[in-house]
Amino acid sequence: MFNIRLHHMKLRSKLIVIYIVCVFIPIILTNVMFYQVTTVNIKNQKTADAEQAMTLLQAELRTVIEDAAGISYLYSIDRQLLQHLNTTYVSNDRYVESLNAISNLFNRTDTENKIISSSVIMTDNPTVLASGNIIRLEAEMRNKDWYNQINNTHPHLFVTPESISVIQRLTESRFDTYEHVLKIDLNMNHIKQILDLSSFSGDFYILDPSGQARFGRLSSGQPSELITQGRTISLDEIPRPNKAIVIGKTYQNNRYLVGWSVYGVLDEEIILSDVRQSGQFILWFAGINFIVPTIVILIISRSIHTRIKSILKHMKSVKGNNFELIPYHRERDEVGELAVEFNRMSIRIENLINDVYVAEIQKKELELRQRQAQLHALHSQINPHFLFNALETIRMRSLMKGETQTARTIQNMAKIFRKSIQWKSSFVTIREELELIESFLEIQKYRFDSKLDYHIEVDQSLLDIEIPKMAFLPFVENASIHGIENIAGIGYINIQIAQENGQLVFVIVDNGKGMDQEKIIELHHYFEAESAMGDSIGMKNVITRLRIYYGESFNFTIDSESGGGTRVLLRLPFDKI
């Protein structure tokens, strides 16, 4: 069933189906699969790069905090500093002298560590002068949030929307008389530089243990608006795109940053924008892959389709005995070879039909028409032998009485009757046909007296050419009786027989009453009609016989106008004569 349906498809449709199923669809599927795999790979690669960037950012922030905590630890173990803070000074000079001894410690840490914005030691030693890196621990300072978060001598991280500080108690209440607190403020420009230089391509935030975003940077490179306004946002308030890739890195093994995390948000549409653009390229490429080959297939299939339809058309025309050849332009493909072989077959079939079938039919038809024409001619004779003998008796009687003109006319009539009796041969020479024509015209001159005149001009080399019997006489008869008889003046009949372009040309011109175009059209319809011939041998009889003998090679024309005479032209082929 499937094969039968394929047999009903046009060749062009089959080629297009082959292309779509075997080429276009596999290309599309391959491109789609390649696009999907590429999208997944790029997404995974971008996600891995983002995780690496978040890991690096997490490490850099941890390093900054640990460096600050390390500085705090150096301060806490410096015995000279602790001695300076715990000493009760009796005079200011003694304090200044002790301060100068430890000033190198502050100068070294401040200049060598770019991560530190400032380091301040606050003490409640009343003998300490508040200046530089050591200031007085006032009562209002103990009410600050950062002070209340100090619970031991270990460094503690205190963060506000504007700053990050490392705070550490430098005293042990069990041993020291005074309380000392170290507060190291990190360089926020350095922190901002770390955030700005991060290779993470999305938005990221630094979350405290409670899940509040303390710092952040948007993908545009700008800090989060809520954070810059001095407010924090919770994890649930962080904006996320429709297709978000979330990466969170939590500090686990760092005692300063326990519970803190770095939280990043990527927009999948942004990181895959290049892939989406390549998807459009795939669509354009697929469209070109479809349109261009389809046009090529249509052009090539048209070359095959039109020629096959032409061969099929000519094959169907053979049923109507039309053996027209297929135009051949030396094509070398299979369709061209098929056309060549079809032309050869058509020529052989036509030749066989013409040689055997048509020739036999035409021969039988010619014999039938000849017998019919003979029969009509015989019917038109009223005992011609008796009439011939009677005419001879009248002619001899006229000569005895001296009526030579009448005798000559009777003699011409006798010639015509004698020719009509001798119907054994269907062909006569032009010389014999002209003798019959001259006899007929002499009889008409006897009838019309001086009213008729005629002229015959013949190519002498044509006199022995054979033509069908009485092929020209009916036209002469028609010119004299129907053309000349009804005019007032002298009637002229001009006859020419010549050869032109390999054809025998017979022309008869008269100056009779002529015919209008309607009458000429009526005559042509009468000649073409299949009705039976009349009882006399007229022009239709002649035209029918000439068409039987010569076929399409014979043609005739009638030119006339009312009152302007008539011109009849017959053309007979030499090769059939």
Side-chain angles (χ1 to χ4, degrees):
M1 180 63 69
F2 181 71
N3 289 334
I4 294 176
R5 292 182 179 177
L6 284 179
H7 295 338
H8 292 303
M9 290 180 65
K10 299 293 185 182
L11 178 61
R12 181 177 299 179
S13 302
K14 290 179 181 178
L15 291 176
I16 293 177
V17 169
I18 290 173
Y19 167 73
I20 292 176
V21 174
C22 299
V23 179
F24 180 71
I25 292 179
I27 288 177
I28 293 297
L29 293 178
T30 302
N31 288 338
V32 170
M33 293 177 63
F34 176 76
Y35 174 76
Q36 294 294 338
V37 171
T38 302
T39 301
V40 172
N41 291 339
I42 291 180
K43 180 180 177 180
N44 294 337
Q45 183 63 43
K46 292 286 186 180
T47 303
D49 293 343
E51 288 185 353
Q52 185 177 3
M54 292 296 290
T55 301
L56 181 61
L57 176 63
Q58 183 187 29
E60 289 179 344
L61 292 176
R62 181 178 60 245
T63 300
V64 171
I65 300 301
E66 289 179 348
D67 287 348
I71 295 173
S72 174
Y73 177 75
L74 292 177
Y75 282 155
S76 66
I77 63 173
D78 193 298
R79 295 184 175 275
Q80 190 175 5
L81 174 62
L82 294 177
Q83 183 180 0
H84 172 76
L85 294 175
N86 291 319
T87 300
T88 303
Y89 298 98
V90 296
S91 66
N92 292 335
D93 293 336
R94 288 289 184 90
Y95 175 77
V96 173
E97 182 181 351
S98 178
L99 181 62
N100 290 332
I102 63 171
S103 60
N104 290 333
L105 175 65
F106 293 107
N107 293 334
R108 185 175 67 252
T109 56
D110 290 347
T111 57
E112 293 181 357
N113 292 279
K114 61 180 180 180
I115 64 173
I116 297 177
S117 173
S118 65
S119 58
V120 178
I121 298 176
M122 292 162 281
T123 180
D124 59 356
N125 187 345
T127 61
V128 172
L129 298 177
S131 62
N133 297 94
I134 301 176
I135 62 176
R136 191 75 57 86
L137 179 63
E138 304 293 345
E140 62 271 14
M141 293 181 181
R142 290 188 171 92
N143 295 325
K144 300 289 184 180
D145 291 338
W146 57 266
Y147 182 83
N148 294 328
Q149 293 183 9
I150 301 173
N151 53 15
N152 50 41
T153 58
H154 296 292
H156 180 75
L157 188 67
F158 180 76
V159 180
T160 66
E162 293 83 15
S163 64
I164 301 176
S165 302
V166 175
I167 304 171
Q168 182 179 3
R169 194 185 300 276
L170 298 179
T171 58
E172 284 284 348
S173 58
R174 293 176 298 172
F175 305 106
D176 297 328
T177 305
Y178 303 108
E179 180 182 9
H180 318 296
V181 178
L182 172 63
K183 183 174 182 290
I184 299 177
D185 294 329
L186 299 183
N187 185 355
M188 295 308 296
N189 290 330
H190 181 69
I191 299 296
K192 183 178 182 300
Q193 185 178 12
I194 292 175
L195 300 180
D196 292 340
L197 294 179
S198 174
S199 60
F200 188 79
S201 58
D203 303 338
F204 63 83
Y205 304 86
I206 300 175
L207 306 180
D208 63 14
S210 64
Q212 297 293 317
R214 294 305 187 99
F215 301 96
R217 189 204 71 183
L218 302 181
S219 57
S220 60
Q222 299 297 324
S224 173
E225 180 181 355
L226 295 176
I227 296 175
T228 56
Q229 291 177 354
R231 295 186 292 114
T232 60
I233 56 176
S234 65
L235 181 63
D236 297 334
E237 295 174 336
I238 292 177
R240 298 177 181 85
N242 293 330
K243 294 183 179 180
I245 300 175
V246 178
I247 300 173
K249 296 289 183 179
T250 304
Y251 290 96
Q252 300 291 342
N253 301 320
N254 189 293
R255 62 181 179 178
Y256 311 113
L257 295 171
V258 173
W260 286 77
S261 61
V262 179
Y263 186 83
V265 179
L266 286 174
D267 189 348
E268 183 177 323
E269 293 296 330
I270 293 178
I271 66 175
L272 297 179
S273 59
D274 294 338
V275 182
R276 304 295 187 223
Q277 292 179 358
S278 64
Q280 295 180 357
F281 172 77
I282 291 176
L283 291 177
W284 281 104
F285 185 70
I288 294 174
N289 277 345
F290 178 73
I291 293 174
V292 173
T294 301
I295 293 175
V296 173
I297 288 176
L298 291 177
I299 293 174
I300 295 176
S301 63
R302 184 177 182 274
S303 169
I304 302 173
H305 179 72
T306 54
R307 290 186 292 157
I308 290 179
K309 287 192 67 176
S310 176
I311 294 174
L312 180 61
K313 175 183 175 183
H314 284 78
M315 284 182 175
K316 292 180 178 179
S317 67
V318 171
K319 294 187 299 184
N321 292 331
N322 182 6
F323 297 95
E324 181 182 357
L325 299 182
I326 300 173
Y328 174 62
H329 303 288
R330 297 185 180 276
E331 298 92 345
R332 297 184 178 179
D333 59 355
E334 290 80 358
V335 181
E337 293 178 357
L338 180 61
V340 171
E341 295 302 323
F342 176 82
N343 288 341
R344 291 176 181 173
M345 181 186 69
S346 298
I347 293 173
R348 292 190 63 184
I349 292 175
E350 185 178 16
N351 291 337
L352 289 173
I353 292 176
N354 291 335
D355 293 344
V356 179
Y357 180 69
V358 173
E360 187 67 23
I361 290 179
Q362 288 181 348
K363 181 179 179 181
K364 295 295 183 182
E365 185 178 2
L366 179 60
E367 292 178 355
L368 180 62
R369 293 294 181 92
Q370 285 177 344
R371 292 183 181 277
Q372 185 180 12
Q374 292 174 2
L375 181 61
H376 282 292
L378 291 175
H379 285 172
S380 67
Q381 301 172 16
I382 304 174
N383 199 348
H385 292 285
F386 171 77
L387 290 177
F388 174 72
N389 293 331
L391 288 174
E392 273 296 308
T393 301
I394 296 171
R395 186 179 71 84
M396 294 300 296
R397 184 67 177 173
S398 298
L399 287 175
M400 292 174 62
K401 291 184 176 183
E403 295 176 357
T404 56
Q405 187 176 4
T406 302
R408 188 168 57 251
T409 301
I410 293 173
Q411 185 182 14
N412 289 327
M413 289 180 63
K415 287 182 181 180
I416 294 175
F417 279 114
R418 187 180 296 111
K419 293 293 184 182
S420 65
I421 292 173
Q422 298 172 353
W423 198 272
K424 294 181 179 180
S425 176
S426 299
F427 285 83
V428 296
T429 63
I430 292 178
R431 188 190 311 276
E432 292 173 331
E433 183 76 7
L434 287 177
E435 290 177 357
L436 201 60
I437 290 174
E438 288 178 351
S439 297
F440 177 80
L441 289 176
E442 287 298 325
I443 293 173
Q444 295 303 315
K445 286 191 68 175
Y446 176 76
R447 175 187 177 189
F448 293 116
D449 197 11
S450 61
K451 187 180 178 180
L452 174 64
D453 192 10
Y454 68 89
H455 175 71
I456 299 176
E457 182 179 347
V458 183
D459 185 347
Q460 297 300 310
S461 63
L462 304 176
L463 291 176
D464 295 325
I465 298 296
E466 290 188 346
I467 60 173
K469 191 174 183 179
M470 291 187 181
F472 301 151
L473 180 60
F475 297 98
V476 178
E477 178 186 3
N478 190 72
S480 61
I481 295 177
H482 299 289
I484 303 300
E485 183 177 6
N486 297 320
I487 64 172
I490 299 176
Y492 295 100
I493 296 176
N494 187 17
I495 299 173
Q496 291 181 329
I497 300 176
Q499 57 177 333
E500 179 180 332
N501 297 328
Q503 290 181 316
L504 176 65
V505 179
F506 170 80
V507 181
I508 179 170
V509 180
D510 67 70
N511 63 339
K513 65 176 183 179
M515 298 175 288
D516 55 20
Q517 290 300 315
E518 184 177 353
K519 180 63 176 178
I520 294 175
I521 294 174
E522 182 181 347
L523 274 177
H524 278 288
H525 287 317
Y526 172 66
F527 295 152
E528 298 294 334
E530 295 293 335
S531 59
M533 294 180 290
D535 294 333
S536 63
I537 303 177
M539 286 197 300
K540 182 174 182 179
N541 187 314
V542 176
I543 291 174
T544 301
R545 286 191 296 119
L546 292 178
R547 283 178 174 168
I548 292 174
Y549 292 139
Y550 303 117
E552 297 297 328
S553 300
F554 160 72
N555 63 79
F556 74 99
T557 57
I558 301 176
D559 296 322
S560 182
E561 59 181 12
S562 183
T566 302
R567 181 178 183 271
V568 178
L569 184 144
L570 303 180
R571 290 183 179 272
L572 308 180
F574 262 129
D575 57 349
K576 295 290 184 71
I577 295 176

